[in-house]
Amino acid sequence: MGSVSWRKRGNRYLVSWRLDDGSQGGKTVDTPDEARDVAAEKRLEMRRGTWRGRQRGRLAFSAWATEWWVTWAADEPSPTTLAATESWLRLHVHPWFADRPIDKITPADVRRWQAQLARDVGPSTVAHCRSLALRIFQFAMDEGAIDANPVRKVPPLKRRVDPEEVFGELKRRALTPEEAGRLLACFPLFWWDHLSTLLGTGLRFGELAGLRRRRVHLDRPMPVLEVGPTRYQAGRFGSGFKPRPKSDAGIRPVPLAPLVVEAIRRQLPPGTDVDDLVFTGPGGGPGQRGGPSVPRGARTVLSRHNLHRTYQGALAKLADPAVPLRPTARRVLRALRDGGPWYVDQLAAQLTTNGPPIRPATVAVALRELQAARLAAVDVDDQDELTGRWAALQVARDPLLDAVDLHGAHDLRHTFATWLEDAGIPARVIDELMGHEATGRSGQHQGSAMGARYRHTTPEMAVRVTDAIQQRLTVVLQVAGHTLEGLPNRSALKVF
């Protein structure tokens, strides 16, 4: 049994204690009453068994973070949640608190960390990291290592209103149907059905990539797809399929517009296996390291990284119309931009001097391709294409890049929700179709949480949704088709 005692030491009083394991300590106070109170508190802690928790307060924050991670991960969160949490912890939380004893970290330390973090990352990352720190300190508090959670004593940072956002100067995230059509025209034809379905359903990428044949019902009076299994790619935490989305609200039926039904029918694999994936990758490539190559046209599991690279390639074509040109045409265009105007013979000689030999006839074909793309023109005084002088034209990038903040396939989910709002679909229905959890913390949701249980999406509302999407997708495909017809080199849109 441990012991606690106190005695006068000079003008002050020393409280000392010894534990069962032989460890000992002491504390100096100013008055006899304080000494008696401290001694009584230590005896109570020994009797309740909380003293060992106080000793654990000397452990470093990193040790508690590791212990919390093991406990939290035992509940089997999704691999993508594991990957994101590990990244926030490693990059933004652990480096600041690191090896400091957790009982020595004060609210002032948390306040400084939060302020520094806000200067380096966005509000969303600050909120995620603050939540992580809160849970780790709470875990230590529940184990008796600290008396209070310092994060709770520091108010979260208020997100300041951006004047540019108030005045509408910030780029929007959603596309108009015309803009979506111009973007779609920059994708290889293989991806058109994938993107049309994303635009027409608001699915997340993982929900599209995990869609199985048995979850698609195209022959019902109101065709629907059911969101269930999803695909995940979580770095070192693996990749594959999980049986359900992250939240219960993600398990939902989505009504399908006729154009979306056609896109899905084209992607359905042959056969009747109900577990076949509906949307797959284009195949082709070296395959996994050490494994066989993937034949062209093979149905491969859809990859987020593959689609993202293709998406960025489409944005590059919008930024520079020369990107989809054939190599010879790009080579001729660079020569015109660097030194033109040139005659055809001069261009052929210049290109031969600076690279592989090229015939004037080949240069003439490339010039006609540039002319069709409005990237080059013959001198107005020399109408003969073969004998006239050619010059490069100034071409601006597509204006939608200056109006819309484009990142990746998730832009199409923003677009779907915006189209429904423009069509007057109630916010509750949009949330239901998007798979968003209802919350009472936002002023955007009108009515009570209980009232939401009494309001349901009727067949008539589903018809309104599909009509709105059908009208906009029709414009998208028309604009994409017209844009594609004007491209001088359609081979640039090949799948492989």
Side-chain angles (χ1 to χ4, degrees):
M1 181 68 179
S3 62
V4 181
S5 62
W6 63 275
R7 61 185 177 83
K8 188 173 183 180
R9 186 175 183 180
N11 294 326
R12 305 185 72 193
Y13 297 85
L14 173 65
V15 181
S16 57
W17 55 83
R18 180 184 295 275
L19 303 181
D20 293 338
D21 58 7
S23 61
Q24 56 187 357
K27 182 177 181 179
T28 302
V29 295
D30 295 328
T31 65
D33 290 339
E34 289 179 316
R36 292 189 188 93
D37 290 343
V38 171
E41 180 182 350
K42 299 304 177 187
R43 291 191 184 98
L44 185 60
E45 288 177 351
M46 291 179 186
R47 189 174 300 114
R48 290 179 174 176
T50 59
W51 181 250
R52 191 166 299 279
R54 292 292 183 269
Q55 283 187 307
R56 296 187 69 200
R58 301 174 187 173
L59 293 176
F61 175 87
S62 57
W64 281 102
T66 301
E67 192 170 338
W68 169 83
W69 174 276
V70 172
T71 304
W72 173 72
D75 290 336
E76 297 183 354
S78 72
T80 49
T81 301
L82 284 169
T85 303
E86 187 274 336
S87 177
W88 293 321
L89 189 62
R90 171 172 47 84
L91 296 177
H92 304 303
V93 181
H94 184 271
W96 183 273
F97 299 112
D99 298 326
R100 300 175 61 182
I102 199 166
D103 63 353
K104 300 299 182 184
I105 298 175
T106 66
D109 297 323
V110 174
R111 190 182 298 272
R112 285 192 292 270
W113 165 70
Q114 185 173 260
Q116 177 65 41
L117 192 61
R119 288 192 288 269
D120 297 335
V121 299
S124 176
T125 302
V126 173
H128 283 298
C129 294
R130 176 185 166 88
S131 173
L132 267 178
L134 177 70
R135 286 181 280 171
I136 293 170
F137 281 111
Q138 188 62 44
F139 179 75
M141 182 178 171
D142 293 342
E143 293 295 315
I146 54 177
D147 293 321
N149 189 331
V151 180
R152 294 194 181 279
K153 298 185 178 182
V154 179
L157 293 175
K158 292 184 178 180
R159 186 166 185 173
R160 304 297 297 272
V161 175
D162 188 343
E164 301 297 329
E165 184 175 358
V166 173
F167 299 132
E169 297 297 329
L170 289 183
K171 292 183 179 181
R172 48 190 162 84
R173 188 77 187 272
L175 296 150
T176 66
E178 293 78 10
E179 291 169 341
R182 299 206 303 273
L183 176 63
L184 183 62
C186 294
F187 278 84
L189 293 174
F190 172 84
W191 294 100
W192 280 32
D193 287 337
H194 298 65
L195 299 180
S196 298
T197 303
L198 288 172
L199 278 170
T201 60
L203 295 182
R204 301 174 177 90
F205 172 82
E207 295 168 347
L208 180 84
L211 186 63
R212 308 279 180 172
R213 185 198 295 269
R214 63 190 176 93
R215 294 299 180 190
V216 175
H217 307 283
L218 304 182
D219 297 324
R220 291 182 180 178
M222 172 56 70
V224 298
L225 63 80
E226 300 166 341
V227 180
T230 61
R231 172 158 165 73
Y232 66 89
Q233 291 173 265
R236 69 182 184 88
F237 294 96
S239 62
F241 298 90
K242 53 184 181 179
R244 52 179 294 128
K246 184 176 181 179
S247 68
D248 291 343
I251 304 174
R252 64 196 189 278
V254 180
L256 303 177
L259 285 173
V260 179
V261 172
E262 294 175 14
I264 293 177
R265 283 194 191 279
R266 285 191 293 268
Q267 293 298 315
L268 283 173
T272 58
D273 190 344
V274 295
D275 287 324
D276 276 343
L277 292 171
V278 177
F279 291 94
T280 56
Q288 304 229 346
R289 182 176 298 177
S293 61
V294 180
R296 290 185 178 185
R299 292 181 62 86
T300 57
V301 176
L302 197 58
S303 166
R304 181 188 303 275
H305 308 305
N306 192 359
L307 178 56
H308 184 73
R309 286 193 300 270
T310 309
Y311 197 98
Q312 295 305 312
L315 298 185
K317 294 175 186 177
L318 290 174
D320 183 2
V323 170
L325 296 174
R326 292 182 298 180
T328 301
R330 289 201 300 269
R331 186 180 169 198
V332 171
L333 180 60
R334 283 195 299 268
L336 287 175
R337 287 175 173 175
D338 292 342
W342 302 92
Y343 293 102
V344 173
D345 292 340
Q346 290 176 326
L347 262 174
Q350 179 70 17
L351 292 169
T352 299
T353 302
N354 298 329
I358 185 170
R359 295 180 303 168
T362 304
V363 172
V365 172
L367 287 171
R368 284 193 288 270
E369 184 176 335
L370 294 175
Q371 186 180 39
R374 298 184 179 88
L375 295 174
V378 68
D379 194 302
V380 292
D381 297 328
D382 300 317
Q383 294 298 328
D384 191 336
E385 296 179 357
L386 295 178
T387 61
R389 292 190 307 167
W390 288 83
L393 298 178
Q394 294 293 330
V395 179
R397 67 181 195 161
D398 194 297
L400 83 83
L401 296 176
D402 298 319
V404 188
D405 186 19
L406 297 173
H407 297 273
H410 207 70
D411 301 331
L412 309 182
R413 183 168 162 83
H414 285 258
T415 300
F416 172 79
T418 304
W419 286 356
L420 292 185
E421 186 171 357
D422 288 344
I425 303 300
R428 176 192 59 79
V429 177
I430 298 176
D431 285 344
E432 183 178 321
L433 296 176
M434 297 284 287
H436 289 157
E437 291 277 13
T439 174
R441 295 179 295 175
S442 171
Q444 298 176 353
H445 296 270
Q446 299 180 355
S448 66
M450 179 58 71
R453 294 180 176 271
Y454 291 86
R455 297 188 294 269
H456 304 280
T457 301
T458 62
E460 290 76 13
M461 183 61 69
V463 170
R464 285 183 56 191
V465 168
T466 56
D467 286 347
I469 295 301
Q470 179 72 5
Q471 293 173 11
R472 287 158 177 81
L473 275 183
T474 300
V475 175
V476 170
L477 295 175
Q478 287 176 348
V479 171
H482 293 324
T483 305
L484 187 59
E485 289 175 1
L487 292 178
N489 179 30
R490 298 189 185 187
S491 63
L493 292 172
K494 290 190 302 184
V495 175
F496 306 106

